[in-house]
Amino acid sequence: AQDLELVRTRALATRSRARICFQDGSRGWGSFLDHNRDGVIVENQVERDAALAFGHRDLPAGVKYGRGTAPPAPNDVFGGSQISFVNHWVEFDSRGLLVETGQTATIYLQNENDPTAVNAVQMSPAGNVRIWTYINSQWK
């Protein structure tokens, strides 16, 4: 959730598009910035370096992308995927708004050994982040 906010802040600060990609390696995510402001992010090393956010991060040990036995989180309109963002990335425009407007999307993180231990990081179309935790058969 903090990394989503960090990339959004970078887009605002530079008045450029910024992206966080959740298929940047099977166990992590990466940040990219449209450094030349051509409106296109190609996810190369120059854009990664320009992001100045964090480059690449791996999921913590014992955590994987997944929903386990939890149902879709509230407001998850897609509901079936472990990462329900279009193309498995989130892109912010120069105003910090999601490029794919009208979409609330969710990233599910699960304990590798316990399919009932699930968290969901959800982002609204306006770029607001919310964290859900699946406890006692319900999202809180």
Side-chain angles (χ1 to χ4, degrees):
Q2 290 175 338
D3 286 346
L4 285 166
E5 291 287 353
L6 183 62
V7 171
R8 180 175 183 254
T9 299
R10 187 76 178 127
L12 286 165
T14 61
R15 296 186 179 260
S16 302
R17 285 186 176 224
R19 178 183 292 175
I20 183 167
C21 179
F22 294 97
Q23 286 188 328
D24 189 54
S26 61
R27 295 211 26 97
W29 58 94
S31 61
F32 304 90
L33 181 74
D34 180 15
H35 67 96
N36 59 2
R37 295 188 179 148
D38 65 357
V40 178
I41 295 179
V42 296
E43 298 181 14
N44 61 22
Q45 190 61 46
V46 172
E47 291 175 344
R48 185 185 301 272
D49 294 341
L52 296 179
F54 50 81
H56 173 86
R57 290 196 207 265
D58 288 323
L59 287 170
V63 175
K64 68 179 184 176
Y65 292 120
R67 203 175 77 205
T69 60
N75 305 317
D76 185 356
V77 296
F78 299 104
S81 179
Q82 59 194 12
I83 302 171
S84 65
F85 292 102
V86 174
N87 299 318
H88 294 272
W89 49 257
V90 178
E91 189 167 306
F92 300 97
D93 66 16
S94 61
R95 298 171 296 151
L97 301 175
L98 290 180
V99 172
E100 295 292 329
T101 59
Q103 169 186 319
T104 295
T106 309
I107 304 159
Y108 293 94
L109 301 168
Q110 166 192 337
N111 182 302
E112 289 182 330
N113 300 314
D114 182 357
T116 65
V118 180
N119 285 320
V121 180
Q122 203 168 66
M123 179 158 280
S124 75
N128 299 317
V129 177
R130 180 170 186 178
I131 300 172
W132 294 93
T133 302
Y134 191 65
I135 300 173
N136 298 325
S137 299
Q138 60 183 338
W139 288 104
K140 297 182 180 188

